[in-house]
């Protein structure tokens, strides 16, 4: 008789522990342990796959054929931008995102546009459901094959028979190997199946995309346990109630990871967003206090984004509330401290709410100055000029530091009709058709923007 043993497995790192704990002892993640039956055979699937892989042969590096790693364009420009050209044959990509964000839609569009034979393994939805969606997306093509299947051996058999160039498995969390005793969706199953699919993709030089749902409650093994197995990790983000979707690579073995792909969810599927700045500024109201426009850079692409702030005098005795959406709350706290100490703006008694319009997350320091100006504009109830953009990093001493690619940022602002910019004094010459004011401190920037009178000198008493 097989003796079953319970383990508590971490959905973040995959480590198994005999006892439950609030925090995984291996990786330190909180609330990530789930109860699982520990099978004796987690590696049986891997061993079966290993037996098929030919032994590696060492060669001088000059004799290695680099051309086999040339990406094939996908036909979806925004996806190619993020992938650095397309899919490399034999590579495995993990596409993560919350349920309902549009992963299946994007992949069906991808397969429909691919020049060779493709296979869509639907492990979640019935063939009818996928067919209906394909009709809506105009993706009913003779070269697109559909397999509603959750069993790993059957999926591999279908790949053997059809010999597709590109395979999508939607989703990896619902695929299971009957040889493993753990339940479908468990860490052991997800990791075992993904490992086996990666081996098969390499062996046959088939490109593969695995879909992984990101769930916050840890009920399903998250894509995190798969990240080191695959070549590329893409995440599809956005707010479900907004049409905008952002595609980013957090790991990419064949190119850079800083490019951003932008899509809009429409009735006929995902459409590329060729002019994102226009989209982000579409609903902007000028002449309102608490709003600043910043030209940021995402990868190679300049983006104009509106940053907003709202402040309220706090009457309760407790520390006033601070809330940040789309920017790091720690960064906001630091900027408020710099405003107080270096520019003598008394924010300590104010509640501060800051947000980036359009559901984007801004992580680059170039947004610092815009955040500070938006906060002070809200506090003083003075709007910034409608045609003004600002960018720059704010240091702890209240000094402004230049950020990369000022010229491209300012040309994008000029293209969209902005006529004035406030930038750090050390920024290189812009040459763009925009009037540039150079300032060296945060206080000078506040003064140049007309929010305060003369910039105060010296530190606070
Ligand atoms: P879906 O691709 O099923 O998401 P995921 O695979 O990430 O779970 O997309 C689901 C949402 O997208 C659903 O709420 C309906 C919407 N949608 C459109 O708005 N337009 C479309 O053409 C399609 C196919 C879906
Ligand atoms: Mg789906």
């Amino acid at each position: 008789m097989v003796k079953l043993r319970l383990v508590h497995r971490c959905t973040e790192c995959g480590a198994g522990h005999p006892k439950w704990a609030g925090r995984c002892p291996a990786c330190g993640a909180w609330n990530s342990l789930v109860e699982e039956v520990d099978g004796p055979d987690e590696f049986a699937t891997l061993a079966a796959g290993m037996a098929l892989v030919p032994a590696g042969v060492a060669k001088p590096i000059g004799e290695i054929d680099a051309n086999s790693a040339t990406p094939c364009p996908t036909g979806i420009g925004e996806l190619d931008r993020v992938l650095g050209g397309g899919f490399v044959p034999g590579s495995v990509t993990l596409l993560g995102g919350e349920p309902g964000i549009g992963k299946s839609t994007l992949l069906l569009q991808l397969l429909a546009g691919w020049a060779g034979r493709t296979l869509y393994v639907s492990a979640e939805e019935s063939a009818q459901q996928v067919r209906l969606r394909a009709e809506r997306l105009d993706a009913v093509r003779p070269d697109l094959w559909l397999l509603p299947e959750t069993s790993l051996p059957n999926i591999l058999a279908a790949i053997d028979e059809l010999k597709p160039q590109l395979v999508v498995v939607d989703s990896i969390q619902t695929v299971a190997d009957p040889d493993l005793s753990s339940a479908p969706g468990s860490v052991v199953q997800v990791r075992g199946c993904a490992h086996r699919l990666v081996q098969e993709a390499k062996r046959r030089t088939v490109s593969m995309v695995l879909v992984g749902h990101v769930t916050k409650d840890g009920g399903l093994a998250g894509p995190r346990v798969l990240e080191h197995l695959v070549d590329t990790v893409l995440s599809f983000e956005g707010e479900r109630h907004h049409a905008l979707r952002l595609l980013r690579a957090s790991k990419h073995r064949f190119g850079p990871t800083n490019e951003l792909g932008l899509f809009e969810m429409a009735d006929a599927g995902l459409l590329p967003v060729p002019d994102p700045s226009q989209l982000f500024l579409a609903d902007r109201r000028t002449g309102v206090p608490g709003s600043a426009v910043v030209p940021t850079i995402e990868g190679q692409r300049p983006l104009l984004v509106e940053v907003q702030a709202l402040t309220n005098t706090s009457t309760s005795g407790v520390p006033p509330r601070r809330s940040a959406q789309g920017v790091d709350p720690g960064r906001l706290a630091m900027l408020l401290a710099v405003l107080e100490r270096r520019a003598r703006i008394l924010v300590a008694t104010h509640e501060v709410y800051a947000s980036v319009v359009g559901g984007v997350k801004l992580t680059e320091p170039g947004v610092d100055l815009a955040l500070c100006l938006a906060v002070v504009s809200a506090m003083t109830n003075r709007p910034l000029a409608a045609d003004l953009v600002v960018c720059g990093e704010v240091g702890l001493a209240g000094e402004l530091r230049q950020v990369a690619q000022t010229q491209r940022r300012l040309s994008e602002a000029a293209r969209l009709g902005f006529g004035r910019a406030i930038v750090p004094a050390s920024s290189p010459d812009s040459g763009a058709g925009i009037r540039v004011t150079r300032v060296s401190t945060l206080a000078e920037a506040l003064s140049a923007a007309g929010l305060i009178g003369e910039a105060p000198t010296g530190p606070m008493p």
Side-chain angles (χ1 to χ4, degrees):
M1 198 182 79
V2 182
K3 199 159 167 249
L4 295 179
R5 194 167 64 95
L6 283 181
V7 286
H8 296 90
R9 199 169 289 282
C10 175
T11 52
E12 293 284 322
C13 71
H17 307 287
K19 276 205 256 166
W20 189 85
R23 187 176 192 191
C24 172
C27 72
W30 288 98
N31 290 327
S32 62
L33 298 196
V34 291
E35 204 173 87
E36 269 190 12
V37 177
D38 201 14
D41 51 3
E42 177 181 354
F43 297 102
T45 320
L46 306 184
M50 285 297 214
L52 301 170
V53 180
V57 182
K59 284 187 196 167
I61 193 161
E63 286 176 24
I64 309 282
D65 179 14
N67 290 336
S68 64
T70 308
C72 303
T74 64
I76 299 183
E78 295 294 302
L79 180 59
D80 287 345
R81 175 198 292 275
V82 177
L83 290 170
F87 286 118
V88 171
S91 68
V92 180
T93 302
L94 178 70
L95 177 66
E98 287 181 22
I101 207 75
K103 301 181 292 298
S104 307
T105 306
L106 176 66
L107 294 173
L108 212 48
Q109 287 180 256
L110 162 71
L111 295 187
W114 193 261
R117 179 176 283 182
T118 57
L119 175 65
Y120 183 89
V121 178
S122 175
E124 271 179 16
E125 292 171 304
S126 70
Q128 289 72 23
Q129 283 171 318
V130 179
R131 164 80 208 232
L132 278 175
R133 174 175 308 150
E135 278 176 17
R136 190 169 156 183
L137 297 171
D138 190 23
V140 183
R141 300 289 156 88
D143 265 348
L144 168 50
W145 291 66
L146 176 62
L147 173 73
E149 182 61 70
T150 56
S151 158
L152 181 69
N154 295 351
I155 295 171
L156 295 178
I159 296 176
D160 272 335
E161 197 191 319
L162 286 167
K163 306 207 170 14
Q165 288 180 3
L166 178 62
V167 178
V168 165
V169 178
D170 188 359
S171 70
I172 185 68
Q173 282 125 332
T174 41
V175 171
D177 184 348
D179 289 343
L180 298 179
S181 50
S182 304
S186 64
V187 176
V188 170
Q189 278 283 6
V190 172
R191 199 166 51 176
C193 292
H195 209 131
R196 186 68 197 277
L197 284 167
V198 170
Q199 284 173 337
E200 299 292 330
K202 305 276 171 222
R203 192 162 71 85
R204 291 161 222 247
T205 336
V206 175
S207 302
M208 225 180 250
V209 183
L210 311 178
V211 173
H213 290 298
V214 178
T215 52
K216 293 199 178 100
D217 63 352
L220 285 173
R224 298 283 303 277
V225 293
L226 304 179
E227 281 175 3
H228 62 284
L229 292 180
V230 298
D231 299 304
T232 304
V233 180
L234 299 181
S235 62
F236 206 32
E237 303 160 7
E239 293 193 28
R240 273 181 81 162
H241 305 291
H242 276 97
L244 188 73
R245 300 285 180 273
L246 298 95
L247 186 70
R248 293 175 198 269
S250 57
K251 165 182 176 178
H252 193 27
R253 286 190 179 143
F254 308 104
T257 54
N258 57 1
E259 280 300 336
L260 174 72
L262 287 163
F263 297 91
E264 198 177 349
M265 182 61 96
D267 286 342
L270 289 155
L271 304 175
V273 179
D275 193 351
S277 297
Q278 207 118 46
L279 183 84
F280 287 134
L281 297 178
D283 295 324
R284 176 171 170 245
R285 283 180 58 214
T286 51
V288 180
S291 155
V293 176
V294 54
T296 74
I297 292 271
E298 285 282 350
Q300 290 302 309
R301 172 189 280 198
L303 276 184
L304 258 69
V305 187
E306 182 185 355
V307 177
Q308 290 186 334
L310 180 74
T311 62
N312 248 334
T313 324
S314 172
T315 44
S316 64
V318 292
R321 206 171 154 195
R322 269 82 212 265
S323 141
Q325 260 182 40
V327 284
D328 175 34
R331 192 84 195 166
L332 176 66
M334 182 215 107
L335 294 172
L336 294 179
V338 175
L339 274 174
E340 178 114 18
R341 288 285 298 188
R342 307 293 181 203
R344 302 189 192 174
I345 305 291
L346 303 176
V347 278
T349 50
H350 284 73
E351 294 176 344
V352 178
Y353 303 88
S355 103
V356 179
V357 176
V360 255
K361 290 192 184 73
L362 297 181
T363 48
E364 64 134 354
V367 70
D368 287 357
L369 185 56
L371 260 176
C372 291
L373 260 58
V375 168
V376 180
S377 160
M379 281 181 70
T380 54
N381 214 23
R382 290 185 190 171
L384 293 168
D387 68 339
L388 175 73
V389 293
V390 297
C391 74
E393 178 180 352
V394 175
L396 287 179
E399 83 282 17
L400 293 185
R401 294 163 178 272
Q402 62 163 296
V403 286
Q405 311 202 41
T406 307
Q407 203 160 351
R408 297 192 55 198
R409 295 172 193 251
L410 296 185
S411 324
E412 174 76 352
R415 182 181 76 82
L416 284 153
F418 288 86
R420 262 191 76 193
I422 298 180
V423 298
S426 60
S427 302
D429 267 346
S430 73
I434 192 164
R435 193 152 60 86
V436 176
T437 308
R438 293 162 187 280
V439 287
S440 47
T441 65
L442 180 55
E444 278 176 43
L446 295 174
S447 171
L451 296 177
I452 58 171
E454 275 296 280
T457 47
M460 273 219 343

